[in-house]
Amino acid sequence: MSGQSLLVPGTLSPHRNVPASIPRPEYVGKDAPTPYTGPEVQDSETVEKMRIAGRIAARAMAEAARHIAPGVTTDKLDEVAHEYLCDHGAYPSTLGYRKFPKSLCTSVNEVICHGIPDSTVLRDGDIVNLDVTAYIHGVHGDNNATYLCGDVDEESRLLVERTRESLNRAIKAVRPGRQINVIGRVIESYAKRFGYGVVRDFTGHGINSSFHSGLIIPHYDDPRATTVMKPGMTFTIEPMLTLGTHEWEMWQDGWTVVTKDRKRTAQFEHTLVVTDSGAEILTLP
């Protein structure tokens, strides 16, 4: 694995403004969102709105990813995604969610998830996950992907490639009538081939008008995940695989989650809707 030094927190830039004309999610300005009490199965009108939100989120992530290079700060990536979302009439869902201060998450190397963009400078050989969610027409679209920065060592490159493949396999396992735990079973069995850890405490989730509806999508074979998938159900799958342990620690910022052994980790995510025959990805650019 790369001999890069471990990350340390950087300095946050000032709060980015969202035009007043763009509607905010209900949780902005609150300590926490109002608990979701609606259905996990969405009607066709809501799903169509989620296609729009998902497409914008995917394109915003792709635009930010174009700027990944040694010497670029994670704050710059936040700026790019923020401007893209606002320019397309979408609110950055993470901004103000439980007081998260930025418009996307940037998780570098040993950061599993929820890294806060700041003055951290990307280095040659880093891997960096971008997690972007768009809120528009009253619904959210959520996606993330891990990217290579410069010349990345083979072990890290394979981790990224295989984490992407674990998501692809999990999506193919989605079928109405199956229990949710088939998703984690597929991911975990694939990851075990390579000796990877599978993060257990951070999961996929239901998503619709709510950023996190309460539905949990584990990425390991959890016998408690017995909810049966139904057409119209919308949720994310977002496996987090590690080169070592699945155990984690959190920085003092209350957000940044790192592997306990500080080995590298990768993640990929799509928002899906269950169809009559499988799943449709809603976060395609």
Side-chain angles (χ1 to χ4, degrees), residues 3-283:
Q4 298 280 46
S5 58
L6 298 178
L7 292 172
V8 296
T11 302
L12 291 181
S13 64
H15 178 86
R16 299 193 198 284
N17 293 319
V18 177
S21 59
I22 295 177
R24 273 72 168 151
E26 59 82 23
Y27 52 74
V28 174
K30 300 180 182 179
D31 289 339
T34 302
Y36 179 71
T37 57
E40 298 296 349
V41 172
Q42 307 304 309
D43 59 30
S44 58
E45 181 181 357
T46 301
V47 171
E48 178 55 32
K49 291 176 180 178
M50 290 182 67
R51 286 191 188 97
I52 295 169
R55 188 178 307 125
I56 292 173
R59 290 175 177 173
M61 184 174 73
E63 182 63 24
R66 287 182 54 246
H67 292 76
I68 292 174
V72 175
T73 65
T74 55
D75 185 68
K76 176 63 178 178
L77 304 179
D78 181 75
E79 178 188 1
V80 172
H82 179 92
E83 291 183 356
Y84 187 96
L85 292 168
C86 293
D87 287 348
H88 290 80
Y91 185 91
S93 300
T94 60
L95 184 62
Y97 179 77
R98 297 184 182 272
K99 298 187 176 180
F100 189 85
K102 291 295 176 181
S103 298
L104 82 165
C105 301
T106 51
S107 300
V108 180
N109 296 344
E110 69 269 21
V111 179
I112 294 172
C113 57
H114 305 158
I116 300 175
D118 58 20
S119 61
T120 296
V121 176
L122 295 177
R123 302 161 295 182
D124 186 56
D126 283 342
I127 60 174
V128 55
N129 179 275
L130 304 183
D131 192 338
V132 180
T133 309
Y135 177 79
I136 189 171
H137 304 315
V139 298
H140 301 267
D142 185 4
N143 68 164
N144 77 56
T146 302
Y147 299 89
L148 310 182
C149 181
D151 185 15
V152 174
D153 67 273
E154 183 176 13
E155 185 178 37
S156 298
R157 181 183 58 78
L158 286 173
L159 173 68
V160 171
E161 179 182 305
R162 290 164 177 168
T163 305
R164 181 191 294 112
E165 176 62 15
S166 77
L167 173 60
N168 292 339
R169 289 173 181 240
I171 292 171
K172 290 176 182 176
V174 172
R175 291 284 188 283
R178 291 181 175 176
Q179 293 182 344
I180 289 291
N181 59 13
V182 70
I183 294 169
R185 189 176 309 135
V186 167
I187 292 168
E188 187 173 38
S189 63
Y190 180 71
K192 280 184 174 179
R193 291 191 198 177
F194 312 104
Y196 295 154
V198 181
V199 174
R200 302 165 78 91
D201 295 333
F202 298 90
T203 68
H205 52 89
I207 184 170
N208 36 66
S209 60
S210 173
F211 194 174
H212 299 86
S213 71
L215 176 66
I216 301 299
I217 312 295
H219 302 121
Y220 67 101
D221 189 3
D222 186 347
R224 299 166 296 179
T226 57
T227 299
V228 174
M229 291 182 269
K230 301 176 182 178
M233 188 177 285
T234 50
F235 54 81
T236 71
I237 304 176
E238 46 188 296
M240 293 151 262
L241 305 187
T242 73
L243 290 175
T245 182
H246 68 271
E247 297 179 344
W248 55 274
E249 295 175 346
M250 186 176 288
W251 283 3
Q252 290 186 349
D253 61 22
W255 282 105
T256 306
V257 178
V258 296
T259 53
K260 192 169 184 178
D261 57 12
R262 301 304 190 266
K263 291 186 177 181
R264 288 188 170 189
T265 176
Q267 181 185 16
F268 284 83
E269 174 188 22
H270 276 305
T271 295
L272 313 169
V273 60
V274 180
T275 67
D276 290 335
S277 59
E280 177 192 346
I281 299 173
L282 299 179
T283 40

